[in-house]
Amino acid sequence: MSERVAAQVLLTFGDQAEIVADVPPEERAEPARYPAAEIATAVGVPVSDLPASG
């Protein structure tokens, strides 16, 4: 069984999205990187709508 957890995309680096779980700060791990296209598809938005690095 899988559990869904809300996550926040901090920013993207090239084709990678850096995300953190939307949990209390004391429960957060280091940000993880996943393919930006995979994240965008999962939430139904274009990759260009994900936060981008400066």
Side-chain angles (χ1 to χ4, degrees):
M1 182 169 113
S2 66
E3 182 179 330
R4 285 188 163 212
V5 175
Q8 180 179 18
V9 175
L10 299 177
L11 46 90
T12 56
F13 290 104
D15 64 349
Q16 298 289 301
E18 188 168 89
I19 67 168
V20 293
D22 190 13
V23 295
E26 62 274 6
E27 295 179 24
R28 287 186 190 149
E30 292 295 314
R33 290 195 182 171
Y34 293 93
E38 188 177 305
I39 301 300
T41 298
V43 298
V45 300
V47 172
S48 61
D49 283 355
L50 297 175
S53 61

